[in-house]
Amino acid sequence: MNVVVIGAQWGDEGKGKIVDFLASESKSVVRYSGGANAGHTIVSEGVQYALHLVPSGILHPGKTVYLGAGMVIDPEALFKELGELKSKGIEWEGRVFISDRAHLVLPRYREMDKKRDAARKRPIGTTGRGIGTTYALKSERDGIRIADLTWKEKMDDLEDEDRAFLAPYLDRLVSMRVNLTSELNKLKGERVLFEGAQGALLDLDLGTYPYVSSGFSSAAGAAIGGCIGPRAIGKILGVFKAYSTRVGNGPMPTEFSMDSNSELYHFVRETGREYGVTTGRPRRCGYLDLVALRYACQSNSIDDLVLTHLDVYDSLDDIEACVAYDINGTITEEFPASIDELTTAKPVLRHFKGWKTCLKDCRSYSALPKEAKDYVDFIEQYTQTRIGIISVGYDRNDTFIRDSIWN
């Protein structure tokens, strides 16, 4: 059974932790999109791991992981990351493979990324890691893939600095390449996880364009970037936080006001450790946006939601969540495509009583205090999507499943 795990907000929802948690029961993990601009933090037995390119299942001995065709891979960043894993006792050799259709990020693309964004009238807030430029060159049919590394004519077409950069990595990259479609065909009937990057609201087509990523952030991207057909997807999980966060520019209707809610802004950011794994940038924080979450569920056919960071609200007396937008006096529960409308939108908030209890030791839904259950139940009712997994802490074990995802 193939299970896809996506972010159901603007990224940074905790996908890496959830994939790592579920990987113990899977055969393999496939990362199907994004590049080194993504960051997944995993804490296991007190040790923290920061992953950027390598799929989260790598921490489990014996699990095979694949970097999919929809990814854009910086060889320097990849082998640095693999080296750091090795230094922490993770034996990855023979377990990490790369789709021969994945594209490569070259150093000069980074500067091109920064210049492009700086020249925009409305900068997107790129990480400047060459991701957007690589995807742009891919769509223009001017990129270079893993499969091209042994194509002499293609390599000869590269600039001297590109060939010099790739030279130390060539043999290792070629030894790790696979035909991912063939590999996954061999795993028919096995449990395979497909790990997304960023979030559904950053998808190039479904997200808040133009303030989006350049790759596939939606569930549909798993079929393309993961080299399988869409009918091979068995279940889709959407990960979301108990509140909302966003990095970079773009509309965020439920963002806390720095004037009226500066204390709440600071509390959520610090308690939730809301700083980018890759860049260290502080994340924008706000109320849980149920309008956007329901849109993500509908546009991605999410079967089960995964709720993370619920414990961040442990000490609050009151909690609020957005149940509609007020756009120039018109109340709507639909998520608009218009950036102008999203920028103008004011959140219509619903009040919830806080639970004032430490949730870290809860290992089942029944163990949650009533107030926390009320919050969970309302989210399910509003989104019309069940919450199958709940996370109440940073460690791998601070997670419990309400319904088996493999059924």
Side-chain angles (χ1 to χ4, degrees):
M1 181 179 182
N2 295 323
V3 173
V4 176
V5 181
I6 67 166
Q9 295 169 310
W10 281 284
D12 307 307
E13 304 93 347
K15 297 178 297 296
K17 176 194 172 176
I18 299 305
V19 171
D20 169 73
F21 176 74
L22 297 173
S24 63
E25 296 183 346
S26 71
K27 181 75 172 179
S28 300
V29 179
V30 179
R31 165 89 178 269
Y32 65 83
S33 66
N37 58 335
H40 293 163
T41 301
I42 300 168
V43 180
S44 176
E45 298 180 357
V47 180
Q48 180 169 306
Y49 302 87
L51 302 177
H52 304 279
L53 286 164
V54 182
S56 302
I58 192 63
L59 301 184
H60 293 269
K63 305 299 179 183
T64 304
V65 301
Y66 298 93
L67 283 69
M71 290 189 67
V72 290
I73 299 164
D74 181 333
E76 182 180 28
L78 174 61
F79 288 107
K80 179 183 178 183
E81 186 174 325
L82 290 172
E84 291 172 350
L85 287 171
K86 182 82 170 180
S87 71
K88 291 185 177 182
I90 305 300
E91 300 294 336
W92 62 267
E93 290 89 346
R95 298 198 293 126
V96 179
F97 299 95
I98 309 172
S99 167
D100 51 14
R101 287 176 166 81
H103 279 246
L104 291 165
V105 180
L106 300 176
R108 59 189 174 89
Y109 297 173
R110 300 169 196 161
E111 197 58 36
M112 292 167 67
D113 242 8
K114 294 173 185 176
K115 287 181 178 179
R116 267 182 161 172
D117 205 40
R120 291 185 172 106
K121 291 183 178 179
R122 297 179 182 84
I124 294 170
T126 174
T127 59
R129 294 180 181 265
I131 308 303
T133 295
T134 307
Y135 276 118
L137 290 171
K138 174 181 177 179
S139 66
E140 293 169 1
R141 281 85 76 187
D142 289 322
I144 178 169
R145 306 173 302 161
I146 295 291
D148 301 331
L149 293 175
T150 53
W151 179 12
K152 185 179 183 305
E153 290 82 358
K154 179 68 174 182
M155 294 297 287
D156 288 344
D157 289 341
L158 295 178
E159 296 186 14
D160 291 342
E161 64 179 290
D162 298 336
R163 286 194 296 272
F165 167 74
L166 289 171
Y169 307 111
L170 277 176
D171 291 342
R172 282 178 287 176
L173 289 170
V174 170
S175 70
M176 295 165 69
R177 70 180 183 182
V178 294
N179 182 321
L180 188 52
T181 297
S182 296
E183 290 294 307
L184 293 179
N185 190 58
K186 298 173 187 174
L187 294 175
K188 272 188 176 179
E190 301 283 359
R191 294 175 174 180
V192 179
L193 287 168
F194 287 76
E195 177 183 17
Q198 286 84 44
L201 300 178
L202 291 176
D203 184 78
L204 187 60
D205 290 305
L206 300 177
T208 52
Y209 186 89
Y211 302 99
V212 292
S213 65
S214 301
F216 312 118
S217 301
S218 64
I224 303 171
C227 299
I228 58 172
R231 292 201 299 175
I233 296 174
K235 184 172 285 188
I236 299 168
L237 306 183
V239 186
F240 76 104
K241 291 174 182 170
Y243 47 91
S244 298
T245 63
R246 180 167 193 164
V247 173
N249 300 330
M252 184 181 174
T254 66
E255 185 170 10
F256 297 139
S257 166
M258 289 299 288
D259 295 326
S260 60
N261 293 309
S262 58
E263 185 176 340
L264 183 58
Y265 210 130
H266 179 77
F267 171 81
V268 171
R269 178 179 283 169
E270 297 304 318
T271 307
R273 305 181 194 178
E274 296 300 345
Y275 295 88
V277 178
T278 301
T279 63
R281 290 188 296 180
R283 297 175 185 137
R284 299 158 61 190
C285 303
Y287 303 105
L288 174 61
D289 190 335
L290 288 171
V291 177
L293 182 61
R294 182 165 63 185
Y295 167 75
C297 290
Q298 294 171 344
S299 58
N300 288 274
S301 298
I302 292 174
D303 295 294
D304 280 13
L305 284 167
V306 179
L307 172 57
T308 66
H309 289 238
L310 186 61
D311 55 299
V312 170
Y313 278 160
D314 281 356
S315 63
L316 297 185
D317 294 320
D318 301 290
I319 297 165
E320 291 178 296
C322 172
V323 295
Y325 296 152
D326 181 341
I327 303 176
N328 298 319
T330 299
I331 305 299
T332 180
E333 294 184 8
E334 293 188 359
F335 189 75
S338 167
I339 295 300
D340 183 49
E341 290 183 6
L342 281 171
T343 302
T344 305
K346 304 298 181 186
V348 177
L349 301 174
R350 179 184 173 102
H351 172 84
F352 298 87
K353 185 179 179 182
W355 40 90
K356 304 288 288 183
T357 303
C358 178
L359 300 184
K360 187 173 175 61
D361 295 327
C362 294
R363 289 297 177 265
S364 68
Y365 174 75
S366 60
L368 292 175
K370 178 183 181 301
E371 294 80 6
K373 289 179 185 175
D374 289 343
Y375 192 58
V376 172
D377 291 349
F378 184 82
I379 295 170
E380 287 187 318
Q381 292 166 19
Y382 189 96
T383 61
Q384 298 181 319
T385 308
R386 66 185 179 186
I387 295 175
I389 301 175
I390 297 176
S391 170
V392 291
Y394 287 98
D395 197 84
R396 176 189 289 167
N397 297 321
D398 297 332
T399 313
F400 59 85
I401 297 178
R402 297 178 69 190
D403 298 291
S404 174
I405 69 158
W406 301 109
N407 291 334

